[in-house]
Amino acid sequence: TIVVQDAVSAASSLSEGWHVLGFSWSTKNKNIVYLTVGTNGTVNITDVDFNIDGDILDKIDPVSSITDYGSISTRRFSVSLSDFIKISNGKNVKMKVTQINGYTVSSFGSDNQSAIVNTKFSPFLKDLHQLKLQF
């Protein structure tokens, strides 16, 4: 079984870096959530970090060996289910997407209501609950 949320905007304003965030989970790796992180243009994404209400989540493992290029460049990473829940419950979450020559930051969470990704966490977690996943 696979639960997928396609990548949607993870930026709360136009003055921030334009980022997308998607996520997926499968019964194959029940304690892992795979993140699809993206930004506009053709750039090489090297890392993603999160500041969740002042708690830093970094050293996130890449899953894909390279960035997928197109009008949106994306790369996949993995986090533990418990870290994903922290991200989804954050009031003020800053997502830092690092490229070879710099980085951009976007924000989402309950204090940043205009980010579309905020509306996607609850249905995703509800689907996991329906699979009787304990967390």
PDB file of all heavy atoms in Angstrom, residues 19-46:
ATOM      1  N   HIS A  19       8.890  27.172  -3.236  1.00  0.00           N
ATOM      2  CA  HIS A  19       9.175  25.755  -3.019  1.00  0.00           C
ATOM      3  C   HIS A  19       7.900  24.938  -3.130  1.00  0.00           C
ATOM      4  O   HIS A  19       6.810  25.448  -2.873  1.00  0.00           O
ATOM      5  CB  HIS A  19       9.739  25.505  -1.614  1.00  0.00           C
ATOM      6  CG  HIS A  19      11.052  26.163  -1.373  1.00  0.00           C
ATOM      7  ND1 HIS A  19      11.498  26.433  -0.107  1.00  0.00           N
ATOM      8  CD2 HIS A  19      12.016  26.599  -2.209  1.00  0.00           C
ATOM      9  CE1 HIS A  19      12.679  27.005  -0.171  1.00  0.00           C
ATOM     10  NE2 HIS A  19      13.015  27.123  -1.436  1.00  0.00           N
ATOM     11  N   VAL A  20       8.079  23.669  -3.461  1.00  0.00           N
ATOM     12  CA  VAL A  20       6.989  22.707  -3.370  1.00  0.00           C
ATOM     13  C   VAL A  20       7.424  21.593  -2.438  1.00  0.00           C
ATOM     14  O   VAL A  20       8.624  21.324  -2.255  1.00  0.00           O
ATOM     15  CB  VAL A  20       6.575  22.131  -4.745  1.00  0.00           C
ATOM     16  CG1 VAL A  20       5.974  23.215  -5.625  1.00  0.00           C
ATOM     17  CG2 VAL A  20       7.716  21.428  -5.439  1.00  0.00           C
ATOM     18  N   LEU A  21       6.418  20.950  -1.829  1.00  0.00           N
ATOM     19  CA  LEU A  21       6.670  19.824  -0.937  1.00  0.00           C
ATOM     20  C   LEU A  21       5.578  18.796  -1.163  1.00  0.00           C
ATOM     21  O   LEU A  21       4.395  19.122  -1.147  1.00  0.00           O
ATOM     22  CB  LEU A  21       6.663  20.288   0.530  1.00  0.00           C
ATOM     23  CG  LEU A  21       6.886  19.227   1.591  1.00  0.00           C
ATOM     24  CD1 LEU A  21       8.269  18.581   1.447  1.00  0.00           C
ATOM     25  CD2 LEU A  21       6.726  19.826   2.993  1.00  0.00           C
ATOM     26  N   GLY A  22       5.993  17.587  -1.397  1.00  0.00           N
ATOM     27  CA  GLY A  22       5.086  16.455  -1.499  1.00  0.00           C
ATOM     28  C   GLY A  22       5.592  15.352  -0.589  1.00  0.00           C
ATOM     29  O   GLY A  22       6.732  15.408  -0.113  1.00  0.00           O
ATOM     30  N   PHE A  23       4.769  14.350  -0.333  1.00  0.00           N
ATOM     31  CA  PHE A  23       5.196  13.282   0.565  1.00  0.00           C
ATOM     32  C   PHE A  23       4.501  11.981   0.210  1.00  0.00           C
ATOM     33  O   PHE A  23       3.414  11.971  -0.372  1.00  0.00           O
ATOM     34  CB  PHE A  23       4.954  13.621   2.037  1.00  0.00           C
ATOM     35  CG  PHE A  23       3.918  14.669   2.296  1.00  0.00           C
ATOM     36  CD1 PHE A  23       2.607  14.336   2.553  1.00  0.00           C
ATOM     37  CD2 PHE A  23       4.258  16.022   2.275  1.00  0.00           C
ATOM     38  CE1 PHE A  23       1.652  15.301   2.802  1.00  0.00           C
ATOM     39  CE2 PHE A  23       3.303  16.997   2.514  1.00  0.00           C
ATOM     40  CZ  PHE A  23       1.999  16.649   2.779  1.00  0.00           C
ATOM     41  N   SER A  24       5.169  10.881   0.547  1.00  0.00           N
ATOM     42  CA  SER A  24       4.597   9.555   0.310  1.00  0.00           C
ATOM     43  C   SER A  24       5.063   8.599   1.399  1.00  0.00           C
ATOM     44  O   SER A  24       6.072   8.830   2.076  1.00  0.00           O
ATOM     45  CB  SER A  24       4.985   9.035  -1.077  1.00  0.00           C
ATOM     46  OG  SER A  24       6.379   8.881  -1.188  1.00  0.00           O
ATOM     47  N   TRP A  25       4.292   7.546   1.543  1.00  0.00           N
ATOM     48  CA  TRP A  25       4.547   6.530   2.560  1.00  0.00           C
ATOM     49  C   TRP A  25       4.137   5.191   1.965  1.00  0.00           C
ATOM     50  O   TRP A  25       3.200   5.131   1.153  1.00  0.00           O
ATOM     51  CB  TRP A  25       3.715   6.841   3.806  1.00  0.00           C
ATOM     52  CG  TRP A  25       3.746   5.780   4.859  1.00  0.00           C
ATOM     53  CD1 TRP A  25       4.608   5.701   5.914  1.00  0.00           C
ATOM     54  CD2 TRP A  25       2.884   4.653   4.973  1.00  0.00           C
ATOM     55  NE1 TRP A  25       4.334   4.590   6.661  1.00  0.00           N
ATOM     56  CE2 TRP A  25       3.271   3.931   6.096  1.00  0.00           C
ATOM     57  CE3 TRP A  25       1.814   4.175   4.204  1.00  0.00           C
ATOM     58  CZ2 TRP A  25       2.642   2.752   6.483  1.00  0.00           C
ATOM     59  CZ3 TRP A  25       1.192   3.004   4.581  1.00  0.00           C
ATOM     60  CH2 TRP A  25       1.603   2.319   5.716  1.00  0.00           C
ATOM     61  N   SER A  26       4.818   4.132   2.361  1.00  0.00           N
ATOM     62  CA  SER A  26       4.418   2.802   1.891  1.00  0.00           C
ATOM     63  C   SER A  26       4.570   1.774   3.004  1.00  0.00           C
ATOM     64  O   SER A  26       5.333   1.976   3.959  1.00  0.00           O
ATOM     65  CB  SER A  26       5.244   2.376   0.676  1.00  0.00           C
ATOM     66  OG  SER A  26       6.526   1.939   1.064  1.00  0.00           O
ATOM     67  N   THR A  27       3.843   0.700   2.859  1.00  0.00           N
ATOM     68  CA  THR A  27       3.925  -0.380   3.855  1.00  0.00           C
ATOM     69  C   THR A  27       5.292  -1.052   3.823  1.00  0.00           C
ATOM     70  O   THR A  27       5.662  -1.723   4.775  1.00  0.00           O
ATOM     71  CB  THR A  27       2.824  -1.431   3.613  1.00  0.00           C
ATOM     72  OG1 THR A  27       2.855  -1.849   2.242  1.00  0.00           O
ATOM     73  CG2 THR A  27       1.462  -0.879   3.952  1.00  0.00           C
ATOM     74  N   LYS A  28       6.037  -0.846   2.769  1.00  0.00           N
ATOM     75  CA  LYS A  28       7.380  -1.433   2.664  1.00  0.00           C
ATOM     76  C   LYS A  28       8.322  -0.865   3.727  1.00  0.00           C
ATOM     77  O   LYS A  28       9.170  -1.575   4.259  1.00  0.00           O
ATOM     78  CB  LYS A  28       7.936  -1.196   1.266  1.00  0.00           C
ATOM     79  CG  LYS A  28       9.249  -1.878   1.005  1.00  0.00           C
ATOM     80  CD  LYS A  28       9.680  -1.695  -0.431  1.00  0.00           C
ATOM     81  CE  LYS A  28      11.012  -2.366  -0.667  1.00  0.00           C
ATOM     82  NZ  LYS A  28      11.468  -2.203  -2.040  1.00  0.00           N
ATOM     83  N   ASN A  29       8.185   0.448   4.018  1.00  0.00           N
ATOM     84  CA  ASN A  29       9.010   1.117   5.032  1.00  0.00           C
ATOM     85  C   ASN A  29       8.087   1.947   5.918  1.00  0.00           C
ATOM     86  O   ASN A  29       7.982   3.163   5.755  1.00  0.00           O
ATOM     87  CB  ASN A  29      10.063   2.020   4.376  1.00  0.00           C
ATOM     88  CG  ASN A  29      11.075   1.232   3.591  1.00  0.00           C
ATOM     89  OD1 ASN A  29      11.724   0.349   4.135  1.00  0.00           O
ATOM     90  ND2 ASN A  29      11.207   1.536   2.318  1.00  0.00           N
ATOM     91  N   LYS A  30       7.435   1.303   6.856  1.00  0.00           N
ATOM     92  CA  LYS A  30       6.357   1.929   7.627  1.00  0.00           C
ATOM     93  C   LYS A  30       6.798   3.104   8.486  1.00  0.00           C
ATOM     94  O   LYS A  30       5.982   3.949   8.842  1.00  0.00           O
ATOM     95  CB  LYS A  30       5.674   0.883   8.513  1.00  0.00           C
ATOM     96  CG  LYS A  30       4.898  -0.130   7.726  1.00  0.00           C
ATOM     97  CD  LYS A  30       4.213  -1.121   8.629  1.00  0.00           C
ATOM     98  CE  LYS A  30       3.444  -2.128   7.799  1.00  0.00           C
ATOM     99  NZ  LYS A  30       2.730  -3.087   8.628  1.00  0.00           N
ATOM    100  N   ASN A  31       8.056   3.187   8.846  1.00  0.00           N
ATOM    101  CA  ASN A  31       8.525   4.273   9.716  1.00  0.00           C
ATOM    102  C   ASN A  31       9.205   5.405   8.959  1.00  0.00           C
ATOM    103  O   ASN A  31       9.847   6.258   9.568  1.00  0.00           O
ATOM    104  CB  ASN A  31       9.471   3.719  10.782  1.00  0.00           C
ATOM    105  CG  ASN A  31       8.747   2.802  11.740  1.00  0.00           C
ATOM    106  OD1 ASN A  31       7.623   3.091  12.143  1.00  0.00           O
ATOM    107  ND2 ASN A  31       9.357   1.688  12.084  1.00  0.00           N
ATOM    108  N   ILE A  32       9.059   5.405   7.625  1.00  0.00           N
ATOM    109  CA  ILE A  32       9.714   6.403   6.783  1.00  0.00           C
ATOM    110  C   ILE A  32       8.666   7.139   5.948  1.00  0.00           C
ATOM    111  O   ILE A  32       7.743   6.531   5.416  1.00  0.00           O
ATOM    112  CB  ILE A  32      10.732   5.740   5.822  1.00  0.00           C
ATOM    113  CG1 ILE A  32      11.824   5.002   6.592  1.00  0.00           C
ATOM    114  CG2 ILE A  32      11.328   6.756   4.850  1.00  0.00           C
ATOM    115  CD1 ILE A  32      12.759   5.886   7.358  1.00  0.00           C
ATOM    116  N   VAL A  33       8.834   8.449   5.834  1.00  0.00           N
ATOM    117  CA  VAL A  33       8.049   9.251   4.897  1.00  0.00           C
ATOM    118  C   VAL A  33       9.034   9.843   3.897  1.00  0.00           C
ATOM    119  O   VAL A  33      10.082  10.379   4.279  1.00  0.00           O
ATOM    120  CB  VAL A  33       7.249  10.365   5.613  1.00  0.00           C
ATOM    121  CG1 VAL A  33       6.550  11.263   4.593  1.00  0.00           C
ATOM    122  CG2 VAL A  33       6.229   9.756   6.572  1.00  0.00           C
ATOM    123  N   TYR A  34       8.694   9.712   2.628  1.00  0.00           N
ATOM    124  CA  TYR A  34       9.539  10.233   1.559  1.00  0.00           C
ATOM    125  C   TYR A  34       9.028  11.622   1.169  1.00  0.00           C
ATOM    126  O   TYR A  34       7.839  11.795   0.924  1.00  0.00           O
ATOM    127  CB  TYR A  34       9.530   9.290   0.361  1.00  0.00           C
ATOM    128  CG  TYR A  34      10.094   7.952   0.724  1.00  0.00           C
ATOM    129  CD1 TYR A  34       9.257   6.900   1.074  1.00  0.00           C
ATOM    130  CD2 TYR A  34      11.466   7.744   0.761  1.00  0.00           C
ATOM    131  CE1 TYR A  34       9.775   5.659   1.448  1.00  0.00           C
ATOM    132  CE2 TYR A  34      11.995   6.517   1.133  1.00  0.00           C
ATOM    133  CZ  TYR A  34      11.140   5.475   1.478  1.00  0.00           C
ATOM    134  OH  TYR A  34      11.662   4.266   1.851  1.00  0.00           O
ATOM    135  N   LEU A  35       9.933  12.582   1.145  1.00  0.00           N
ATOM    136  CA  LEU A  35       9.594  13.956   0.802  1.00  0.00           C
ATOM    137  C   LEU A  35      10.054  14.262  -0.616  1.00  0.00           C
ATOM    138  O   LEU A  35      11.180  13.923  -0.983  1.00  0.00           O
ATOM    139  CB  LEU A  35      10.288  14.935   1.754  1.00  0.00           C
ATOM    140  CG  LEU A  35      10.071  14.741   3.245  1.00  0.00           C
ATOM    141  CD1 LEU A  35      10.898  15.754   4.029  1.00  0.00           C
ATOM    142  CD2 LEU A  35       8.595  14.845   3.583  1.00  0.00           C
ATOM    143  N   THR A  36       9.200  14.900  -1.382  1.00  0.00           N
ATOM    144  CA  THR A  36       9.587  15.443  -2.676  1.00  0.00           C
ATOM    145  C   THR A  36       9.693  16.945  -2.487  1.00  0.00           C
ATOM    146  O   THR A  36       8.704  17.619  -2.190  1.00  0.00           O
ATOM    147  CB  THR A  36       8.539  15.110  -3.755  1.00  0.00           C
ATOM    148  OG1 THR A  36       8.420  13.694  -3.859  1.00  0.00           O
ATOM    149  CG2 THR A  36       8.955  15.691  -5.098  1.00  0.00           C
ATOM    150  N   VAL A  37      10.913  17.445  -2.614  1.00  0.00           N
ATOM    151  CA  VAL A  37      11.210  18.858  -2.393  1.00  0.00           C
ATOM    152  C   VAL A  37      11.567  19.476  -3.732  1.00  0.00           C
ATOM    153  O   VAL A  37      12.343  18.899  -4.492  1.00  0.00           O
ATOM    154  CB  VAL A  37      12.387  18.996  -1.401  1.00  0.00           C
ATOM    155  CG1 VAL A  37      12.815  20.442  -1.255  1.00  0.00           C
ATOM    156  CG2 VAL A  37      12.018  18.388  -0.059  1.00  0.00           C
ATOM    157  N   GLY A  38      10.987  20.637  -4.018  1.00  0.00           N
ATOM    158  CA  GLY A  38      11.267  21.244  -5.305  1.00  0.00           C
ATOM    159  C   GLY A  38      11.311  22.754  -5.270  1.00  0.00           C
ATOM    160  O   GLY A  38      10.850  23.388  -4.319  1.00  0.00           O
ATOM    161  N   THR A  39      11.881  23.301  -6.328  1.00  0.00           N
ATOM    162  CA  THR A  39      11.950  24.745  -6.528  1.00  0.00           C
ATOM    163  C   THR A  39      11.881  25.017  -8.019  1.00  0.00           C
ATOM    164  O   THR A  39      12.062  24.104  -8.834  1.00  0.00           O
ATOM    165  CB  THR A  39      13.220  25.342  -5.889  1.00  0.00           C
ATOM    166  OG1 THR A  39      13.131  26.761  -5.894  1.00  0.00           O
ATOM    167  CG2 THR A  39      14.486  24.877  -6.556  1.00  0.00           C
ATOM    168  N   ASN A  40      11.598  26.265  -8.381  1.00  0.00           N
ATOM    169  CA  ASN A  40      11.433  26.579  -9.795  1.00  0.00           C
ATOM    170  C   ASN A  40      12.773  26.689 -10.497  1.00  0.00           C
ATOM    171  O   ASN A  40      13.798  26.947  -9.885  1.00  0.00           O
ATOM    172  CB  ASN A  40      10.598  27.849  -9.984  1.00  0.00           C
ATOM    173  CG  ASN A  40      11.191  29.055  -9.298  1.00  0.00           C
ATOM    174  OD1 ASN A  40      11.933  28.939  -8.329  1.00  0.00           O
ATOM    175  ND2 ASN A  40      10.880  30.227  -9.790  1.00  0.00           N
ATOM    176  N   GLY A  41      12.739  26.463 -11.794  1.00  0.00           N
ATOM    177  CA  GLY A  41      13.937  26.560 -12.604  1.00  0.00           C
ATOM    178  C   GLY A  41      14.716  25.256 -12.644  1.00  0.00           C
ATOM    179  O   GLY A  41      14.322  24.255 -12.070  1.00  0.00           O
ATOM    180  N   THR A  42      15.822  25.295 -13.334  1.00  0.00           N
ATOM    181  CA  THR A  42      16.703  24.141 -13.440  1.00  0.00           C
ATOM    182  C   THR A  42      17.869  24.354 -12.494  1.00  0.00           C
ATOM    183  O   THR A  42      18.804  25.099 -12.793  1.00  0.00           O
ATOM    184  CB  THR A  42      17.206  23.984 -14.891  1.00  0.00           C
ATOM    185  OG1 THR A  42      16.070  23.896 -15.755  1.00  0.00           O
ATOM    186  CG2 THR A  42      18.058  22.737 -15.049  1.00  0.00           C
ATOM    187  N   VAL A  43      17.760  23.756 -11.314  1.00  0.00           N
ATOM    188  CA  VAL A  43      18.800  23.884 -10.289  1.00  0.00           C
ATOM    189  C   VAL A  43      19.094  22.511  -9.704  1.00  0.00           C
ATOM    190  O   VAL A  43      18.262  21.612  -9.744  1.00  0.00           O
ATOM    191  CB  VAL A  43      18.381  24.854  -9.158  1.00  0.00           C
ATOM    192  CG1 VAL A  43      18.205  26.262  -9.684  1.00  0.00           C
ATOM    193  CG2 VAL A  43      17.121  24.387  -8.470  1.00  0.00           C
ATOM    194  N   ASN A  44      20.273  22.359  -9.160  1.00  0.00           N
ATOM    195  CA  ASN A  44      20.678  21.115  -8.529  1.00  0.00           C
ATOM    196  C   ASN A  44      20.408  21.228  -7.034  1.00  0.00           C
ATOM    197  O   ASN A  44      21.117  21.949  -6.330  1.00  0.00           O
ATOM    198  CB  ASN A  44      22.158  20.848  -8.804  1.00  0.00           C
ATOM    199  CG  ASN A  44      22.606  19.502  -8.310  1.00  0.00           C
ATOM    200  OD1 ASN A  44      21.813  18.716  -7.813  1.00  0.00           O
ATOM    201  ND2 ASN A  44      23.888  19.223  -8.451  1.00  0.00           N
ATOM    202  N   ILE A  45      19.398  20.530  -6.545  1.00  0.00           N
ATOM    203  CA  ILE A  45      19.065  20.542  -5.116  1.00  0.00           C
ATOM    204  C   ILE A  45      19.991  19.564  -4.397  1.00  0.00           C
ATOM    205  O   ILE A  45      20.062  18.393  -4.754  1.00  0.00           O
ATOM    206  CB  ILE A  45      17.588  20.155  -4.899  1.00  0.00           C
ATOM    207  CG1 ILE A  45      16.675  21.171  -5.585  1.00  0.00           C
ATOM    208  CG2 ILE A  45      17.273  20.048  -3.409  1.00  0.00           C
ATOM    209  CD1 ILE A  45      15.207  20.773  -5.624  1.00  0.00           C
ATOM    210  N   THR A  46      20.700  20.071  -3.393  1.00  0.00           N
ATOM    211  CA  THR A  46      21.645  19.220  -2.667  1.00  0.00           C
ATOM    212  C   THR A  46      21.130  18.805  -1.294  1.00  0.00           C
ATOM    213  O   THR A  46      21.427  17.711  -0.838  1.00  0.00           O
ATOM    214  CB  THR A  46      23.006  19.922  -2.505  1.00  0.00           C
ATOM    215  OG1 THR A  46      22.810  21.153  -1.806  1.00  0.00           O
ATOM    216  CG2 THR A  46      23.652  20.189  -3.859  1.00  0.00           C
TER     217      THR A  46
END
